[in-house]
Amino acid sequence: MEKVRLGIVGIGNMGSGHAKYLTEGAVKGAVLTAVADSSQVMLDQAVSKFGSHLKTYSSPDEMYRSGEIDGVLICTPHFDHPTEAIKALHAGLHVLIEKPAGVYTKQVREMNEAAAASDKVFGIMYNQRTNPLYAKMKDIISSGELGEVRRTNWIITNWYRSQSYYDMGGWRGTWAGEGGGVLINQDPHQLDLWQWTTGLKPKRMRAFCSFGKHRNIEVENDVTAYVEYENGASGVFVTSTFEAPGTNRYEISGERGKLVVEDGKLTFWRLRESETEFNRTFKGGFGSPECWKIDVPTAEAQDGEHQRITQNWADAILKGTKLLAPGVEGINGLMLSNAMLLSTWTNDWVDFPINEDLFYEKLQERIRESTFQKAPAEGGKVVDLKGTF
Amino acid sequence: MEKVRLGIVGIGNMGSGHAKYLTEGAVKGAVLTAVADSSQVMLDQAVSKFGSHLKTYSSPDEMYRSGEIDGVLICTPHFDHPTEAIKALHAGLHVLIEKPAGVYTKQVREMNEAAAASDKVFGIMYNQRTNPLYAKMKDIISSGELGEVRRTNWIITNWYRSQSYYDMGGWRGTWAGEGGGVLINQDPHQLDLWQWTTGLKPKRMRAFCSFGKHRNIEVENDVTAYVEYENGASGVFVTSTFEAPGTNRYEISGERGKLVVEDGKLTFWRLRESETEFNRTFKGGFGSPECWKIDVPTAEAQDGEHQRITQNWADAILKGTKLLAPGVEGINGLMLSNAMLLSTWTNDWVDFPINEDLFYEKLQERIRESTFQKAPAEGGKVVDLKGTF
């Protein structure tokens, strides 16, 4: 294969974003050849924007079986990511899904099983893994510079969303339409990075979600979660959509100091000797280990995070390059998100791995009992989401 | 009365600190005339350091009844603060207690009742209320500039304490000796400021304490607490003694912006219009209120916080000046601290006001079942605590 021929399912906001850079030839070895969408209006718009050479399909299944594509980018509403990925994998296609991996881990686990049974390349659009700040954080932790992690603390409350945002689509802010609120819509990257940077395995979680706080929506838009990891460390994750200006501050404390990402900068407070060693040998009563504050150099953040993930996936298909964001890892962040809701709903601890049947059942209850409008997401209106994902 | 004649009960670290500035005449209208301590060694040291005019008593009761003093500073181990305060109030003395107010709210409530039944001035050494950063924070909130508070978040993990610190006294790090760990020893000021700055009333709390983490002690040295306030706001308080360098960052988010104290600076992100108003009128989908970042000027932090509290208490006695830190308010921070332990011990929510009998019972269980040495605090050794309280 010289070039991977790509199709896009769902040519709304995200789908159009991918189509644009693919059409501009920004991903070497990949060419956009087809799009599928249930809306003829959207298909017509896509052809006029991205070229009349594009094959269009009103049904994704038709596109999967068309022989016109080798791989597919799945940019449908959240609920459909696993369903479409499974069908595409079964049709022998390479798959790159938008985040989140899905809405509940039960369906995502099935998707992962389908991927494992295939020989295709399965990726997820965790473009923030290419963000130099978090990549460097992970690098420092992996290299052992921080020592064993003892605490994580992410305050990510700068996902401001007004009522106007929620009113833009009938599906927004509803259980049936999106399957959740800030956790499933705004936080998937942070939930992925929270576990990806440290590599810690959560053991149990207790979380507190508020639903429709200061907003007329039924889903969660205020979350505080406490997690205990298998290594004995603990962590906190706080997120909301009604705070202005909000905060984005991620702190990781370890045996050899502290890392903080805030205001686009990574700072490392590095101990000259590990706290464990200092504590073992120090006999002076009051005193603490010598610490150096380090402004860690990181590459400039660049536009094109999405296309770098797509490039990496195309390279994996063509040359066997290692994936930055394997699709099977999408379940990790989603399980954290599901656990936060489940802990709130059961008013109890949630052990990992979570009881995915129970989560599914509780989610279905909420969908059934919803008093909000439940219009499914339709591609009829493209809002400018530039800079928001 | 021209001058308030003062006695000090417990002439160890804290007591000596107060004796020093009083002897130097740093508190106008107050004169140190007597000290009480169960240790003759300590009394002899006090006389040699602070003057042979001092009356010394091996029993506080004797000093209370001596007629030599009008008021007393109580600087005993934590457990004894309420007991001594009650006796002193009954003896017709003005009382200023060291923090914490006590170890459990049951005894502190009795102390407050005794104070309410007397006509004496009852203060607590919450010297951090004179810290310009927190005083200004409270001022901004009280004035309405921040609008209604929606979230509090205090990460106070820079109370580094090595094993060597805990080994300095047999009572340290034990239930019998101190009645708790980081919450009762290191955090009383933050727990007071956490509620004092915002004025929010806690409704319920869920907290997670670890005991003897990375240290050979039996008490809590790692705490994450989640609180819900009566006004619907929520908050997080994270503290520990094993992190180096740790963090001290206090964020309060409100309807009109965000306040953060960190690195000795107060920053106010101020919205031009309240979030509520913006949200009601904005129709643009994505968008957020205009925000101004303001470096808030605050007076330089000065030495002598303790003597300013003592001065204020003396002024209250002599001239009826309003107390900065009324003794009866000591119960507020202590109740937060007790609630954090109680929530952990019961593995459940704790409603406010807490069940103080249950807390007392659970604490006594721990004291009885302690396997650590339980030497009561004795004044035999003075460690340099300068800059640590």
Side-chain angles (χ1 to χ4, degrees):
Chain A
M1 198 189 302
E2 259 182 54
K3 285 221 174 216
V4 190
R5 298 167 307 153
L6 298 182
I8 291 177
V9 187
I11 193 75
N13 298 299
M14 306 300 289
S16 297
H18 298 305
K20 185 165 183 296
Y21 64 75
L22 285 168
T23 303
E24 290 164 355
V27 175
K28 282 177 199 155
V31 58
L32 181 67
T33 54
V35 292
D37 201 294
S38 58
S39 155
Q40 189 59 44
V41 176
M42 299 301 285
L43 289 174
D44 292 347
Q45 280 181 6
V47 167
S48 79
K49 277 198 280 186
F50 308 115
S52 55
H53 64 284
L54 284 187
K55 306 271 180 187
T56 60
Y57 301 88
S58 58
S59 138
D61 293 13
E62 233 180 295
M63 181 172 77
Y64 302 151
R65 292 188 307 258
S66 66
E68 299 284 344
I69 59 174
D70 309 303
V72 65
L73 273 70
I74 295 173
C75 311
T76 59
H78 309 331
F79 274 107
D80 301 332
H81 294 171
T83 328
E84 292 303 326
I86 290 168
K87 288 192 295 182
L89 286 162
H90 286 167
L93 299 172
H94 302 284
V95 172
L96 180 59
I97 55 168
E98 261 299 339
K99 51 89 200 168
V103 171
Y104 47 93
T105 55
K106 191 180 166 71
Q107 58 171 189
V108 170
R109 185 175 306 284
E110 287 163 12
M111 171 174 71
N112 285 355
E113 286 161 6
S118 86
D119 60 348
K120 299 302 162 188
V121 177
F122 174 42
I124 183 166
M125 189 52 71
Y126 277 150
N127 48 284
Q128 284 280 322
R129 290 191 179 188
T130 73
N131 182 318
L133 292 166
Y134 302 111
K136 184 61 78 79
M137 230 179 178
K138 181 178 174 65
D139 170 28
I140 289 173
I141 293 169
S142 308
S143 72
E145 281 273 359
L146 187 67
E148 176 134 57
V149 171
R150 292 180 169 185
R151 189 189 306 288
T152 66
N153 191 313
W154 203 330
I155 306 174
I156 171 74
T157 53
N158 68 345
W159 285 120
Y160 186 77
R161 293 294 183 267
S162 65
Q163 187 63 43
S164 167
Y165 161 85
Y166 292 111
D167 293 344
M168 283 193 307
W171 72 93
R172 281 206 204 277
T174 67
W175 293 113
E178 300 192 303
V182 62
L183 293 171
I184 205 80
N185 283 296
Q186 280 76 43
D187 286 323
H189 290 302
Q190 284 78 32
L191 291 168
D192 176 56
L193 296 173
W194 191 28
Q195 56 85 33
W196 179 71
T197 47
T198 67
L200 294 184
K201 301 282 174 222
K203 191 176 171 199
R204 63 174 188 164
M205 177 177 274
R206 188 70 179 86
F208 315 95
C209 300
S210 293
F211 304 91
K213 199 168 189 176
H214 306 295
R215 295 292 182 271
N216 184 32
I217 54 174
E218 63 185 4
V219 294
E220 86 287 352
N221 64 336
D222 181 26
V223 181
T224 300
Y226 168 76
V227 67
E228 291 175 356
Y229 299 102
E230 284 183 359
N231 77 339
S234 68
V236 170
F237 189 89
V238 177
T239 191
S240 75
T241 63
F242 54 75
E243 283 168 87
T247 293
N248 184 0
R249 181 182 185 279
Y250 182 24
E251 167 175 321
I252 305 176
S253 162
E255 203 189 351
R256 294 175 172 273
K258 180 175 80 163
L259 289 169
V260 176
V261 168
E262 190 175 12
D263 297 331
K265 285 181 307 219
L266 171 60
T267 310
F268 181 20
W269 285 263
R270 181 180 182 276
L271 303 185
R272 280 191 79 180
E273 64 179 328
S274 84
E275 192 285 317
T276 304
E277 186 58 16
F278 176 86
N279 186 52
R280 196 179 63 75
T281 55
F282 179 69
K283 299 296 171 208
F286 287 93
S288 55
E290 182 178 333
C291 177
W292 296 349
K293 184 178 175 187
I294 299 164
D295 297 323
V296 180
T298 52
E300 283 290 307
Q302 291 180 321
D303 284 346
E305 282 181 356
H306 294 87
Q307 75 195 50
R308 284 206 293 283
I309 291 290
T310 309
Q311 182 70 66
N312 168 254
W313 173 69
D315 289 346
I317 297 167
L318 292 169
K319 314 179 218 168
T321 305
K322 194 175 175 217
L323 282 180
L324 287 170
V328 292
E329 294 182 10
I331 201 167
N332 299 338
L334 182 66
M335 195 174 290
L336 291 166
S337 156
N338 285 184
M340 291 177 195
L341 286 168
L342 190 57
S343 174
T344 304
W345 290 338
T346 59
N347 192 22
D348 203 354
W349 289 100
V350 167
D351 293 323
F352 284 82
I354 70 165
N355 181 334
E356 60 188 33
D357 291 322
L358 183 63
F359 179 84
Y360 177 76
E361 189 186 301
K362 298 260 171 207
L363 176 63
Q364 294 308 313
E365 269 173 36
R366 267 139 198 98
I367 292 172
R368 279 195 310 274
E369 292 164 10
S370 167
T371 54
F372 279 68
Q373 55 179 314
K374 289 168 197 154
E378 303 219 13
K381 187 180 169 192
V382 177
V383 180
D384 181 12
L385 287 154
K386 191 163 176 292
T388 68
F389 48 89
Chain B
M1 198 188 304
E2 260 182 53
K3 286 224 173 214
V4 190
R5 298 168 306 153
L6 297 183
I8 292 177
V9 187
I11 194 74
N13 299 300
M14 307 301 289
S16 297
H18 298 305
K20 185 166 185 296
Y21 64 74
L22 284 168
T23 303
E24 290 164 355
V27 176
K28 282 178 200 155
V31 58
L32 182 67
T33 55
V35 293
D37 201 295
S38 57
S39 155
Q40 189 59 44
V41 176
M42 300 303 284
L43 289 174
D44 293 346
Q45 281 181 6
V47 167
S48 80
K49 276 196 281 187
F50 307 117
S52 56
H53 65 285
L54 284 186
K55 306 269 180 190
T56 60
Y57 300 89
S58 58
S59 137
D61 292 13
E62 232 179 296
M63 182 171 76
Y64 301 152
R65 291 189 307 258
S66 65
E68 300 283 345
I69 58 173
D70 309 304
V72 64
L73 273 71
I74 294 173
C75 310
T76 59
H78 310 331
F79 273 107
D80 301 332
H81 294 172
T83 328
E84 293 303 326
I86 290 169
K87 287 193 295 180
L89 287 161
H90 285 167
L93 299 172
H94 303 286
V95 172
L96 180 60
I97 54 167
E98 261 299 339
K99 50 88 196 168
V103 171
Y104 47 94
T105 56
K106 191 181 168 71
Q107 58 171 188
V108 170
R109 185 175 305 284
E110 287 161 13
M111 171 173 71
N112 286 355
E113 286 161 5
S118 85
D119 60 348
K120 300 302 164 189
V121 178
F122 174 43
I124 183 166
M125 189 52 71
Y126 277 152
N127 49 285
Q128 283 280 321
R129 288 192 181 188
T130 73
N131 182 318
L133 293 165
Y134 303 112
K136 184 61 78 79
M137 230 180 178
K138 179 178 176 65
D139 170 29
I140 289 173
I141 293 169
S142 307
S143 72
E145 281 273 358
L146 188 68
E148 176 134 58
V149 172
R150 291 179 169 185
R151 188 188 308 287
T152 66
N153 192 314
W154 204 328
I155 307 173
I156 170 73
T157 53
N158 69 345
W159 285 120
Y160 185 76
R161 293 293 182 267
S162 65
Q163 187 63 43
S164 166
Y165 162 84
Y166 292 111
D167 292 345
M168 282 194 305
W171 71 94
R172 281 205 203 277
T174 68
W175 293 113
E178 300 192 301
V182 63
L183 293 171
I184 205 79
N185 283 296
Q186 280 76 43
D187 286 324
H189 289 301
Q190 284 78 34
L191 290 168
D192 175 57
L193 296 172
W194 191 29
Q195 57 86 32
W196 179 71
T197 47
T198 67
L200 294 184
K201 302 282 174 223
K203 191 176 171 197
R204 62 173 189 165
M205 177 177 274
R206 188 71 178 85
F208 314 96
C209 300
S210 294
F211 304 91
K213 199 168 188 176
H214 306 297
R215 295 293 181 272
N216 184 32
I217 54 174
E218 64 184 4
V219 294
E220 86 287 352
N221 64 338
D222 181 27
V223 181
T224 301
Y226 168 75
V227 67
E228 291 175 356
Y229 299 102
E230 284 184 358
N231 78 338
S234 68
V236 170
F237 189 90
V238 177
T239 192
S240 75
T241 63
F242 54 76
E243 283 168 85
T247 293
N248 182 359
R249 181 183 185 280
Y250 182 24
E251 168 175 321
I252 305 176
S253 162
E255 202 188 352
R256 293 174 173 275
K258 180 175 79 163
L259 289 168
V260 176
V261 168
E262 190 175 13
D263 297 331
K265 286 181 305 215
L266 171 60
T267 309
F268 182 20
W269 284 263
R270 181 181 181 276
L271 303 185
R272 280 192 79 180
E273 63 179 329
S274 84
E275 191 286 316
T276 305
E277 186 57 19
F278 176 86
N279 187 53
R280 195 179 63 77
T281 55
F282 179 70
K283 300 296 172 206
F286 286 94
S288 55
E290 182 178 333
C291 177
W292 297 349
K293 184 179 176 185
I294 299 164
D295 297 322
V296 180
T298 52
E300 283 291 307
Q302 292 180 322
D303 284 347
E305 282 182 356
H306 294 87
Q307 73 194 50
R308 284 207 292 285
I309 291 290
T310 309
Q311 182 70 66
N312 169 252
W313 174 68
D315 290 346
I317 296 168
L318 292 169
K319 314 180 217 167
T321 306
K322 194 177 174 211
L323 283 179
L324 287 169
V328 293
E329 293 182 11
I331 201 167
N332 299 338
L334 182 66
M335 195 174 291
L336 292 165
S337 156
N338 285 183
M340 292 176 194
L341 286 168
L342 190 57
S343 173
T344 304
W345 289 338
T346 59
N347 192 21
D348 202 354
W349 289 100
V350 166
D351 293 323
F352 284 82
I354 69 165
N355 181 335
E356 60 189 32
D357 291 322
L358 183 63
F359 179 82
Y360 177 75
E361 189 187 303
K362 297 259 172 208
L363 177 62
Q364 294 308 313
E365 269 174 36
R366 268 141 199 95
I367 291 172
R368 278 197 308 275
E369 293 165 10
S370 168
T371 53
F372 277 68
Q373 54 179 315
K374 288 168 199 156
E378 303 218 13
K381 186 181 169 192
V382 177
V383 180
D384 182 12
L385 287 152
K386 193 163 174 293
T388 69
F389 47 91

